[in-house]
Amino acid sequence: MWVSRRAAAVPGSVFSLMDAAKSRARARGLEVIDLSIGSSDLNPPDAVLEALRDATRDPGTYRYPLFSHTAPLREAAAAYLGRRFGVTVDAASEVLPLIGAQEGLAHLLLAVTDPGDAVLLPDPCYPPYLGAVAVAGAQAVPLPLLPERGFLPDLDAVPEGMRPRVLLLNYPNNPTSAVADVAFFHRAAAWCRARGVLLVHDHPYAELTFGEYRAPSALEAGLDGVIELHSLSKTHHMGGFRVGFAVGDAGVIAALARVKGAVDFHPYLGIQRAAALALGLPDAVGRVGAAAFEARRDALVPALRELGWEVQTPQASMYAWARVPGLTDSVAFAVRAAEETGVAVSPGRAFGERGEGFVRFALVQPPEVLREAARRLAGVAVAGREAQPR
Ligand SMILES: Cc1ncc(COP(=O)(O)O)c(C=O)c1O
């Protein structure tokens, strides 16, 4: 069967290897602790579920959701950005509902790049970024995220002559859990404006922050030449609802709406109502979920350090990113760990070359389960069996 170059260029995922390893562990009678997927295990707030339930009984929600029907969600998004980040946006021209941030990014790249254009993206990164770049026929240019730079990219290292179309950033970051301050976004936006590059900030972990820390928005550096992707998946535990929004530069939002108009409709109106309600909830509601992830962080990070693994204390996100001394093949290690102990983690290599030597833990289990996972991992050899003396 003929497959397009575009389809063939989408990188495969190591997660199928992990699935097979988890199945083998189950076949051996092990109870699997799956920390490999960043899907929140918490429930959306009750009021959000009620709003969706009510909407399903309203025949007014059964039709195609036209752009004009998205006004309540766009207005709720604008109000949230004003309240939370002090950013003023026009709900009519600067906000667009998405079927999740992942959908939004893929279509955004179709709207702002031409085949062969360079897209600067972090290494390591959320793997679908590479798929989105491939689908657009663009060229991924990895920017190393190194621990010694706080996992922030060095924009000065980008060759002067390079003319990228897009700089893609994500803080709080998946997989490293690093955060960026508002000064960083000002520098990144200035760098982009000086070169005519679109700054795209993927911001699904905006509210999964710990202690006093609050994540800034890239839009605090201005909307001109900046787009931010928001999602309800992590902040309100609504990953299955598939809803988020793009916000920023009106010209880019219009181009994204044009591309999306050719391929999809807006989310189901009931989901839009639930999302609008979620965005208007008092911040204290979101803090409850964030506090649960913080307690998990506090359980896992010290347990990993006891294993001798190097891990910074995350201030945000739902991940711990651990460097395992001596690890050179994180994929083989993760497969071995899943098979031998039933603990499934993500190999750092799955997120890019600079992820090698690391593993990512998604904090999607209660604290005692995370401690148990660390205990089980203590018995897994870091180097492969093939490297052990016979
Ligand atoms: C950095 C990043 N962007 C986007 C997504 C997906 O967001 P959504 O569910 O809104 O498509 C994820 C999910 O893990 C993510 O980690």
Side-chain angles (χ1 to χ4, degrees), residues 37-39 98-105 125-129 169-175 202-205 229-234 238-240 242-245 318-319 360:
I37 297 172
S39 182
L98 299 175
I99 306 171
Q102 186 167 327
E103 172 270 311
L105 178 69
C125 72
Y126 178 54
Y129 291 174
L169 298 173
N170 156 232
Y171 295 98
N173 183 257
N174 178 11
D202 186 23
H203 207 5
Y205 301 98
L229 303 174
H230 286 258
S231 167
L232 283 282
S233 295
K234 323 285 178 175
M238 292 166 67
R242 311 308 304 129
V243 62
F245 57 92
M318 50 194 284
Y319 307 106
R360 189 199 73 175

Side-chain angles (χ1 to χ4, degrees), residues 259-308:
V259 167
K260 277 173 63 64
V263 285
D264 69 56
F265 266 98
H266 309 290
Y268 165 56
L269 274 177
I271 288 175
Q272 290 190 44
R273 284 187 193 167
L277 186 134
L279 289 170
L281 288 173
D283 293 344
V285 177
R287 292 288 98 211
V288 175
F293 283 97
E294 185 173 351
R296 295 163 177 199
R297 171 201 74 175
D298 292 342
L300 183 66
V301 168
L304 294 179
R305 287 190 185 136
E306 270 176 39
L307 298 182

